[in-house]
Amino acid sequence: MIKYLGSKRTLVPLLTQLAVSSGAKTALDLFTGTTRVARGFKENGLYVTAVDTASYSQVFAKTWIELDKSKCDQRELVDALAFLSAVKPQAGYFTKAFCEDARYFQPKNGERVDAMRDAIEQNYRSTWLFEPLLASLILAADRVDSTTGIQMAYLKQWASRANNPLELQDPGLIDGAGRAILGDALEVVKQLDSVDLAYLDPPYNQHRYFANYHIWETLVRWDAPQSYGIANKREDVRTDVNRSPFNSKPNMAPALGQLINDVRAETIVLSYNNESWLDREQLIEMCRSKGEVRVIDVSFRRYIGGQIGVFNRQGVRVGQPGAKRNTEHVVIAGPKAIVQRMHEAAQSA
Ligand SMILES: C[S@@+](CC[C@H](N)C(=O)[O-])C[C@H]1O[C@@H](n2cnc3c(N)ncnc32)[C@H](O)[C@@H]1O
């Protein structure tokens, strides 16, 4: 399970139950991130289209949503993982940038990442194995990183897991068809056919995923970018290229309103955090155009950084810890009979 800010890991059972009780056969996950929610839908027999702007998310969506396990030769995957696990460690860009100039990983693991990533490029680029192998490498690197789960900084002292050897594991493909789209949700929805259910989980604040997970972007793109600052972020993190209106306070509400308006879905499910820019009433108002609206409030464990407080570069606490939990508003909107059924199913669970 990759560490990912805003991941809906604990909401997956509820969201899956909502999708199943709606009777949906097709679904759209417009901000798919780790693809956890999309996977939950797919495992319950829905045809899912997963969308995100992040390159690593596209790798996850190709692996778990687009690939149909029943049509893949598992032996090829197992053999490729064994081949990569045996490649000779070799320091390259990754080791220099993320183990020496910055200390996100131990060099012994960085050298393995470099060698494995080069081998994936050379041997598997235009095969079906490319994405599952990359997904496996990202997950393996995540298990031995030295961060709190975002890549804006690394820990002052090595996390104990960073000492473990990096190990590739089978990413575990899922039976069934699906679709992965790399793109801006606002643009993509205009091109897509109507679906039964759309799930919307936009970013909640000004912190961009492109900056928070710049190492995964670089590992996927493998473009050896110029970097800057102590966190050694990609040079293009400071440009406007990858900015999302969902990370801007003035642009967020119009963008979400536009998306709700444009998405062709019978029912929508929107999750949004109570510490963010839009409150419960505003969310309800925004969704009214879809029909009946119900809200389920779920208590949620906050991101660890928010719990321990804010520290400066010398490791001195400069901000107070916040609450340990916050509330996730899960807003359901659509035809009255369907929304009522979904709401009742959630209440009786
Ligand atoms: C709150 S996270 C989603 C988490 C996801 N539901 C999960 O459980 O892993 C928001 C996601 O939106 C993506 N994103 C930001 N702006 C976007 C846009 N304009 N279109 C599509 N995806 C976007 C980010 O890359 C990030 O993965």
Side-chain angles (χ1 to χ4, degrees):
M1 285 292 180
I2 194 164
K3 298 185 285 299
Y4 201 63
L5 194 63
S7 154
K8 295 302 167 307
R9 184 171 59 86
T10 54
L11 276 188
V12 171
L14 169 67
L15 295 169
T16 303
Q17 184 182 42
L18 290 173
V20 170
S21 60
S22 76
K25 298 280 175 274
T26 55
L28 185 55
D29 182 2
L30 281 171
F31 301 86
T32 199
T34 61
T35 72
R36 275 181 180 124
V37 178
R39 273 183 266 172
F41 292 173
K42 182 178 170 181
E43 281 161 351
N44 279 276
L46 280 78
Y47 180 94
V48 187
T49 302
V51 181
D52 203 289
T53 43
S55 313
Y56 53 84
S57 177
Q58 169 77 353
V59 164
F60 297 152
K62 288 259 181 202
T63 301
W64 289 304
I65 305 305
E66 199 161 285
L67 280 177
D68 181 344
K69 182 180 179 186
S70 67
K71 299 205 170 111
C72 296
D73 184 342
Q74 287 295 303
R75 194 70 248 162
E76 285 183 13
L77 180 55
V78 170
D79 288 349
L81 288 167
F83 168 74
L84 291 179
S85 298
V87 296
K88 192 163 165 285
Q90 174 72 54
Y93 178 90
F94 193 94
T95 309
K96 171 92 174 68
F98 304 128
C99 309
E100 294 170 1
D101 297 345
R103 291 189 308 130
Y104 292 98
F105 305 90
Q106 295 271 7
K108 64 175 184 183
N109 283 326
E111 289 164 14
R112 299 201 69 212
V113 172
D114 267 316
M116 289 180 184
R117 182 62 185 87
D118 280 340
I120 292 173
E121 196 64 31
Q122 283 155 20
N123 298 281
Y124 303 104
R125 171 49 99 167
S126 41
T127 75
W128 73 270
L129 292 162
F130 184 70
E131 283 87 9
L133 293 175
L134 260 184
S136 176
L137 182 56
I138 295 172
L139 296 186
D142 181 63
R143 284 192 292 272
V144 295
D145 79 341
S146 190
T147 73
T148 59
I150 54 170
Q151 298 164 352
M152 299 300 279
Y154 46 90
L155 295 173
K156 210 163 162 257
Q157 309 288 342
W158 285 108
S160 58
R161 66 172 171 272
N163 297 315
N164 297 336
L166 177 130
E167 277 171 18
L168 295 182
Q169 292 176 5
D170 186 331
L173 306 181
I174 304 169
D175 285 334
R179 190 173 171 200
I181 300 178
L182 174 68
D184 182 338
L186 287 159
E187 296 305 318
V188 172
V189 285
K190 295 180 195 156
Q191 326 289 334
L192 293 176
D193 290 339
S194 179
V195 291
D196 298 329
L197 181 138
Y199 173 56
L200 282 60
D201 186 25
Y204 301 146
N205 57 31
Q206 72 280 14
H207 299 300
R208 291 179 303 145
Y209 281 81
F210 189 63
N212 278 336
Y213 297 101
H214 62 98
I215 299 177
W216 302 152
E217 281 290 337
T218 297
L219 189 51
V220 171
R221 296 180 187 206
W222 212 226
D223 54 356
Q226 295 289 319
S227 55
Y228 70 95
I230 291 183
N232 227 7
K233 284 180 276 186
R234 304 170 55 88
E235 185 63 33
D236 50 4
V237 164
R238 40 181 176 192
T239 70
D240 278 343
V241 176
N242 291 289
R243 290 202 183 276
S244 170
F246 296 96
N247 293 122
S248 147
K249 193 170 181 185
N251 297 336
M252 156 60 196
L256 185 59
Q258 180 75 50
L259 191 61
I260 291 169
N261 188 55
D262 288 351
V263 66
R264 284 189 281 262
E266 187 174 44
T267 310
I268 64 166
V269 176
L270 163 71
S271 51
Y272 202 73
N273 191 284
N274 74 324
E275 292 182 344
S276 305
W277 295 322
L278 297 174
D279 64 27
R280 200 173 186 277
E281 288 314 308
Q282 288 171 303
L283 296 171
I284 292 173
E285 229 14 78
M286 266 189 179
C287 294
R288 273 208 204 290
S289 61
K290 294 287 170 189
E292 177 80 2
V293 183
R294 297 283 173 94
V295 184
I296 301 166
D297 290 326
V298 184
S299 170
F300 215 68
R301 192 166 160 267
R302 288 181 87 220
Y303 158 64
I304 184 72
Q307 293 181 38
I308 60 181
V310 180
F311 291 80
N312 68 14
R313 283 182 185 153
Q314 285 71 45
V316 176
R317 198 201 297 273
V318 293
Q320 289 308 307
K324 286 210 166 43
R325 302 191 77 83
N326 53 19
T327 300
E328 194 78 21
H329 303 304
V330 178
V331 186
I332 319 165
K336 193 167 185 176
I338 296 179
V339 170
Q340 274 178 349
R341 195 165 69 228
M342 292 165 75
H343 194 243
E344 276 162 23
Q347 300 298 317
S348 60

